[in-house]
Amino acid sequence: MNDWLKICPLDDIPRLGAKVVKGAGKADIAVFRNAEDEVFAVDDRCPHKGGQLSQGIVFDRRVACPLHGTTIHLDSGKAQAPDEGCTHKYRVRVDKGVVFLNLG
């Protein structure tokens, strides 16, 4: 079964920014691109207060929630200590400059 969903060209996601995939899976998904062109995907919801992570500040392999500054590791979905919690992470890949998301 092919669980890979074509999202967009990599260049459509701003560096240090995100693109939201509406209604994919159980929740909206934020697809992030960092300064090194690495791509990550997590539920667009902070585990702390439910803030939209896609509106947060991206740095390294992390994003800071826009509501309270909780830092989420994009490669694991886990909150950085001393904060607790995690958001669901998804597999992503870039093939020939196009971003694909795995919902399986």
Side-chain angles (χ1 to χ4, degrees):
M1 177 180 241
N2 187 357
D3 291 328
W4 291 97
L5 175 66
K6 181 178 177 180
I7 302 300
C8 65
L10 177 63
D11 289 339
D12 284 1
I13 304 171
R15 279 201 174 104
L16 301 178
K19 178 177 183 70
V20 177
V21 179
K22 295 283 187 186
K26 297 179 183 175
D28 290 346
I29 298 171
V31 181
F32 293 91
R33 178 181 179 190
N34 70 7
E36 289 77 32
D37 291 333
E38 293 176 298
V39 180
F40 307 91
V42 297
D43 283 342
D44 191 21
R45 181 173 167 78
C46 176
H48 179 230
K49 293 283 185 177
Q52 291 180 296
L53 294 174
S54 60
Q55 301 300 311
I57 297 171
V58 179
F59 58 103
D60 300 325
R61 292 178 155 197
R62 295 172 281 179
V63 63
C65 176
L67 291 182
H68 297 94
T70 298
T71 299
I72 303 295
H73 289 270
L74 294 171
D75 52 359
S76 68
K78 294 180 182 177
Q80 181 171 309
D83 293 317
E84 297 179 352
C86 69
T87 188
H88 185 79
K89 99 175 196 41
Y90 299 86
R91 291 179 19 208
V92 290
R93 66 180 169 91
V94 179
D95 185 14
K96 298 178 184 171
V98 177
V99 177
F100 292 86
L101 174 66
N102 189 298
L103 299 176

